[in-house]
């Protein structure tokens, strides 16, 4: 199939006694065969097949005359429908470039408005504005790509957060990305349905997700939280590992876990203490550590009496060293 010729590709180097010369077409043929064999098969990123909506694109072809509010940015916290109605413009305010392309990145922010939670809308919105300023100064994204923040108050409720996610990705807003929720109970349903929104799913980025379920593998569509991206370094799983190392270091083998169900509401919303206890219990079982949970919410008397009643002599024996959490 391949023959010697004066027009060829040379292979070899100094010290080679024989250098074979083949037609260039033979060399290209070999590369094509290797490419077919070695390259991975195409991968579908979506978890279900859907017709792509035009609004899913960040950039659309449009002339500046089509948008009366060209060059204007939607203020953070402003409802886009109200914004458009007040200015007599049905279309949303986008920034049209000289080439006729209009680009806008729409980010849905789902967090509680209640400042009892650390990651709440009033506290996070100024940070987002500073982040956008940094992005603009550093040129991380093109200057002609507008950023629109679309905030929703989920009140740390599961059902409300789910509805907010559906509204934020519907035809009225058509968000490209979800930030939040910051409460674990609200985050769970949003992270579950994200893989089925749009043809390719929608990323969910959060600093929360402390419960161990959110740290499970997410590389396949079958994984429960496939589109979830956790940015936080701390989780209840890491805390459980720390406690296990502490228990092993002192050769303890039994634990009484005293907790308040609604404690640390400011960290992850409702029942943060209960979620932490569940994570601890999960990994204590893996390590064959005997544990006994006790919620202080159910204490009939004061905590001192509850401690005497629950612990008694079972965890105060001189034979077995124990730990009270």
């Amino acid at each position: 199939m391949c023959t010697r010729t004066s027009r060829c590709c040379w292979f070899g180097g100094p010290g080679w006694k024989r250098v074979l010369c083949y037609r260039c077409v033979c060399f290209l043929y070999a590369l094509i065969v290797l490419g077919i064999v070695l390259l991975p098969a195409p991968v579908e990123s979506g978890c279900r097949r859907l017709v792509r909506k035009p609004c899913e694109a960040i950039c659309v072809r449009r002339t500046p005359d089509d948008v009366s509010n060209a060059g204007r940015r939607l203020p953070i916290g402003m409802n886009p429908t109200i914004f458009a109605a007040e200015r007599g413009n049905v279309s949303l305010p986008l920034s049209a470039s000289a080439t006729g392309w209009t680009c806008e990145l729409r980010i849905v922010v789902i967090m509680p408005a209640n400042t009892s939670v650390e990651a709440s809308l009033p506290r996070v919105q100024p940070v987002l504005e500073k982040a956008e300023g940094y992005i603009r100064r550093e040129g991380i994204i093109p200057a002609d790509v507008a950023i629109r923040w679309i905030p929703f108050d989920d009140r740390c409720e599961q059902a409300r957060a789910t509805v907010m996610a559906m509204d934020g990705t519907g035809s009225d807003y058509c968000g490209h990305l979800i930030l939040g929720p910051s409460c674990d109970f609200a985050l769970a349903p949003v992270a579950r349905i994200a893989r089925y929104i749009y043809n390719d799913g929608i990323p969910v980025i959060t600093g929360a997700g402390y419960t161990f379920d959110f740290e499970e593998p997410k590389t396949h569509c079958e994984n429960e939280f496939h589109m979830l991206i956790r940015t936080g370094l701390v989780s209840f799983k890491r805390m459980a590992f720390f406690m296990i190392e502490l228990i092993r270091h002192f050769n303890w083998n039994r634990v009484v876990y005293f907790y308040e169900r609604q404690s640390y509401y400011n960290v992850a919303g409702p029942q943060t203490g209960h979620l932490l206890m569940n994570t601890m219990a999960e990994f204590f079982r893996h390590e064959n550590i005997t544990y006994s949970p006790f919620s202080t919410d159910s204490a009939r008397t004061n905590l001192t009496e509850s401690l005497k009643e629950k612990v008694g002599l079972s965890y105060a024996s001189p034979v077995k060293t124990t730990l009270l959490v």
Side-chain angles (χ1 to χ4, degrees):
M1 180 176 63
C2 299
T3 59
R4 298 175 185 270
T5 178
S6 58
R7 299 178 61 188
C8 56
C9 297
W10 290 89
F11 298 87
W16 284 54
K17 294 182 179 180
R18 299 180 61 186
V19 179
L20 296 180
C21 181
Y22 294 92
R23 292 182 185 272
C24 293
V25 67
C26 178
F27 178 64
L28 294 176
Y29 175 79
L31 287 180
I32 293 173
V33 172
L34 287 175
I36 295 174
V37 173
L38 299 179
L39 288 179
V43 177
E44 288 287 343
S45 59
C47 293
R48 67 168 179 165
R49 180 68 64 182
L50 292 174
V51 177
R52 296 182 186 274
K53 296 188 292 186
C55 67
E56 292 183 41
I58 295 178
C59 293
V60 295
R61 186 75 174 180
R62 186 178 300 181
T63 59
D65 294 334
D66 292 335
V67 184
S68 59
N69 284 329
R72 300 193 64 177
R73 176 181 172 276
L74 186 72
I76 187 168
M78 173 67 72
N79 184 299
T81 305
I82 298 176
F83 183 92
E86 289 177 349
R87 288 153 181 79
N89 178 32
V90 178
S91 61
L92 298 175
L94 302 173
S95 178
S97 65
T99 60
W101 285 96
T102 302
C103 302
E104 183 182 55
L105 177 62
R106 295 177 290 276
I107 303 175
V108 180
V109 184
I110 304 177
M111 294 179 185
N114 185 356
T115 54
S116 297
V117 180
E118 297 294 340
S120 57
L121 284 174
R123 292 179 175 178
V124 171
Q125 284 178 341
V127 178
L128 296 179
E129 291 177 344
K130 291 183 69 68
E132 182 178 352
Y134 176 81
I135 290 172
R136 296 301 186 191
R137 289 193 305 272
E138 298 296 323
I140 296 176
I141 64 174
D144 58 351
V145 177
I147 298 178
R148 188 205 306 173
W149 306 98
I150 308 173
F152 289 98
D153 176 16
D154 64 359
R155 301 178 186 173
C156 281
E157 298 176 5
Q158 297 185 59
R160 187 176 177 87
T162 306
V163 173
M164 298 297 98
M166 299 303 296
D167 288 347
T169 55
S171 56
D172 290 340
Y173 300 97
C174 208
H176 298 114
L177 167 70
I178 294 177
L179 286 184
S182 52
C183 299
D184 273 22
F185 273 119
L187 173 63
V190 174
R192 288 190 184 102
I193 66 173
R195 53 183 166 164
Y196 299 122
I197 297 176
Y198 304 146
N199 185 72
D200 299 318
I202 183 171
V204 178
I205 301 178
T206 181
Y210 300 100
T211 311
F212 70 93
D213 304 75
F214 296 116
E215 291 197 272
E216 294 297 308
K218 309 176 182 68
T219 53
H220 302 288
C221 280
E222 294 76 16
N223 300 133
E224 186 176 16
F225 304 113
H226 177 55
M227 298 300 294
L228 177 64
I229 302 172
R230 291 186 64 254
T231 60
L233 299 178
V234 179
S235 67
F236 296 158
K237 179 179 179 180
R238 305 298 173 186
M239 296 179 185
F241 286 167
F242 169 76
M243 293 303 301
I244 290 171
E245 288 297 322
L246 187 64
I247 291 169
R248 294 305 185 200
H249 177 77
F250 290 102
N251 293 320
W252 292 331
N253 55 18
R254 290 190 295 176
V255 175
V256 179
Y257 191 100
F258 280 77
Y259 71 99
E260 183 180 346
R261 182 177 293 271
Q262 298 294 342
S263 60
Y264 295 102
Y265 181 92
N266 62 312
V267 175
Q271 301 190 34
T272 300
H274 177 69
L275 294 174
L276 174 58
M277 186 278 298
N278 282 345
T279 302
M280 292 280 191
E282 178 72 19
F283 291 98
F284 284 170
R285 284 194 293 268
H286 293 171
E287 298 295 327
N288 294 321
I289 297 174
T290 303
Y291 70 95
S292 178
F294 181 77
S295 173
T296 57
D297 303 296
S298 60
R300 293 192 301 269
T301 57
N302 59 44
L303 292 181
T304 302
E305 294 300 322
S306 298
L307 186 64
K308 293 178 181 179
E309 178 183 346
K310 186 66 178 178
V311 177
L313 297 178
S314 299
Y315 292 84
S317 170
V319 179
K320 292 183 178 292
T321 307
T322 59
L323 170 70
L324 299 178
V325 181

